[in-house]
Amino acid sequence: MFNKVLVANRGAVAARVLRALRVLGIRSVAVYSEADAGLRYLADADETYSIGASEPKASYLNQEVLMQVLSRSGADGVHPGYGFLSESAEFAQRVNAAGARFIGPSPKWIEAMGHKTRARDLMSRHGLSMAPSSGLLDGRTDAALEAARILGYPVLVKPAAGGGGIGMVGARDESELIKAIEKARSLAERSFCSTELYLENLMLKPRHIEFQVLADRYGNIRHLFERDCSVQRRYQKVIEESPAPLISRTTVEKAANDIVKVLGKLPYDVIGTVETLYEKGTDFRFLEMNTRLQVEHAVTEEITGIDLVVAQIRLAAGERLDSVLPAAIPNNGHAIEARIYAEDPVRFYPSPGILKTFRLAPGLEIRTETGYSEGDEITSHYDPLIVKVIAHGHNRDNAIDRMLAALDATVIEGIKHNIPFVQRVLRSEQFRSGHVHTGLGMEVAGPVSKSAR
């Protein structure tokens, strides 16, 4: 087991990892940028280090300064959280080469799955169904137009590196595609330092279903069921839940077992999530694999009772899967997570500022994950996530009711936030009935009114 772990991240996920380290009795090292110097969760770490300016490239994406902290602190493990360097094979290799251990999959799997077209090729060779797509675009507009004509419109332009919906742009015709390529290329270069793009057939109203897996270093792998992440805005998740509504358990279990068989052949290790698109009457189509802890991991924790962060750390330390997970994994009740962002609830633009009032409502089977306290500043330098609210109930309706009660009693002042949007979705007939799809969020949001522009 680790003696001391460096948490190479910030905010809610850093606070979450620090809590897991305390459970395991492992000493912790936290880092912070200039913008985050006053955040109160830092007091939960045994040691803290300043890593520079607020801009991510100068701090949380700065491998040199993080490696210096690793050396100075004497940590023997690095937990990357999610985002930033969590899916950097280069960083994982550097950590391992320094004599510490990266708390995540082996670098070869981070590299293999981090490039989306190569990951698709790998998983396709092992029998997983794929949505129709192009190969890598070579940078010529005429080649992209030809690829789109072969696929058929609408298409989705996607960065080959990175994830989280960043840089994904839809196009319904040639004129939109030309603009979409420029926008996607710019976002991909800024976010992932790569301009590689590809096209994918755009399914208009699919379900976005992901499967959580845990594995050890000895070839053993298991799934911990699925999460439905269909409620999104601009290709980014807002509400996640488990189990997925209106899909038979037989169908879901078959897909999960197929994924485990493929990953077991590789063999994959530690933690990962396979993301798929699903339409009734079709296969689950492989979308991508995230080689890290997911933002929405708490949904799975609530229905299984398994602490995924603790499990991830133990598996990375070399423990066997059968010592980390119970023989039979529980699947109890229903869990829903809502991501509360500092953003305009109509146009979804970021709304940085001071959390003048920040009161989270406690409630039965309600859990919150945040890196902020009242009086803290939400800056423009990072993702505008304020807090994740997770509700667990004995069934789906019960979980929805508990979530709505918690959101109704939550008070956030000083910035705009998306709670009104989340409440509209949760109260909509479509969501209540379980008829969710990736376009539901924007359907419920409706068009931007003139007064909101």
Side-chain angles (χ1 to χ4, degrees), residues 239-241 299 334-338 389-391 396 399-400 403 431:
I239 298 173
E240 301 99 356
E241 61 181 308
V299 170
H334 198 96
I336 298 176
E337 174 180 286
V389 180
I390 305 98
R396 189 169 184 267
I400 294 172
M403 175 67 79
F431 186 85

Side-chain angles (χ1 to χ4, degrees), residues 104-116:
S106 300
K108 65 180 180 180
W109 297 126
I110 300 174
E111 183 174 13
M113 298 302 178
H115 193 283
K116 304 311 177 189

Side-chain angles (χ1 to χ4, degrees), residues 198-270:
Y198 69 102
L199 302 182
E200 190 171 87
N201 198 230
L202 178 57
M203 299 166 69
L204 295 179
K205 291 186 176 182
R207 304 276 294 275
H208 186 142
I209 309 293
E210 63 185 27
F211 296 86
Q212 177 73 61
V213 297
L214 289 175
D216 59 24
R217 308 276 192 190
Y218 314 102
N220 303 300
I221 185 166
R222 295 175 70 183
H223 72 82
L224 283 80
F225 312 114
E226 83 287 0
R227 294 183 291 258
D228 191 317
C229 308
S230 299
V231 179
Q232 306 175 7
R233 87 281 191 265
R234 296 178 177 172
Y235 304 113
Q236 294 188 307
K237 302 166 186 172
V238 181
I239 298 173
E240 301 99 356
E241 61 181 308
S242 186
L246 302 186
I247 306 178
S248 75
R249 295 315 302 167
T250 300
T251 300
V252 171
E253 285 286 339
K254 181 183 182 305
N257 290 332
D258 288 346
I259 288 167
V260 165
K261 287 178 185 176
V262 169
L263 294 177
K265 289 177 184 177
L266 296 179
Y268 188 81
D269 58 11
V270 183

Side-chain angles (χ1 to χ4, degrees), residues 90-154:
E90 178 190 0
F91 183 57
Q93 289 165 347
R94 292 185 68 176
V95 169
N96 293 345
R101 181 165 287 183
F102 185 82
I103 300 176
S106 300
K108 65 180 180 180
W109 297 126
I110 300 174
E111 183 174 13
M113 298 302 178
H115 193 283
K116 304 311 177 189
T117 57
R118 289 200 290 267
R120 287 171 59 87
D121 290 343
L122 174 65
M123 301 302 257
S124 178
R125 290 198 303 271
H126 283 79
L128 291 188
S129 178
M130 303 284 151
S133 68
S134 71
L136 280 179
L137 303 178
D138 62 8
R140 294 183 299 115
T141 302
D142 60 338
L145 293 174
E146 177 60 23
R149 280 193 287 270
I150 293 171
L151 284 174
Y153 289 96

Side-chain angles (χ1 to χ4, degrees), residues 172-219:
R172 294 171 295 182
D173 54 37
E174 290 191 355
S175 62
E176 287 191 3
L177 178 58
I178 293 170
K179 295 176 183 177
I181 289 172
E182 283 303 310
K183 183 176 180 181
R185 183 177 289 122
S186 174
L187 287 168
E189 183 173 24
R190 190 161 66 244
S191 302
F192 312 122
C193 300
S194 170
T195 59
E196 291 184 318
L197 304 173
Y198 69 102
L199 302 182
E200 190 171 87
N201 198 230
L202 178 57
M203 299 166 69
L204 295 179
K205 291 186 176 182
R207 304 276 294 275
H208 186 142
I209 309 293
E210 63 185 27
F211 296 86
Q212 177 73 61
V213 297
L214 289 175
D216 59 24
R217 308 276 192 190
Y218 314 102

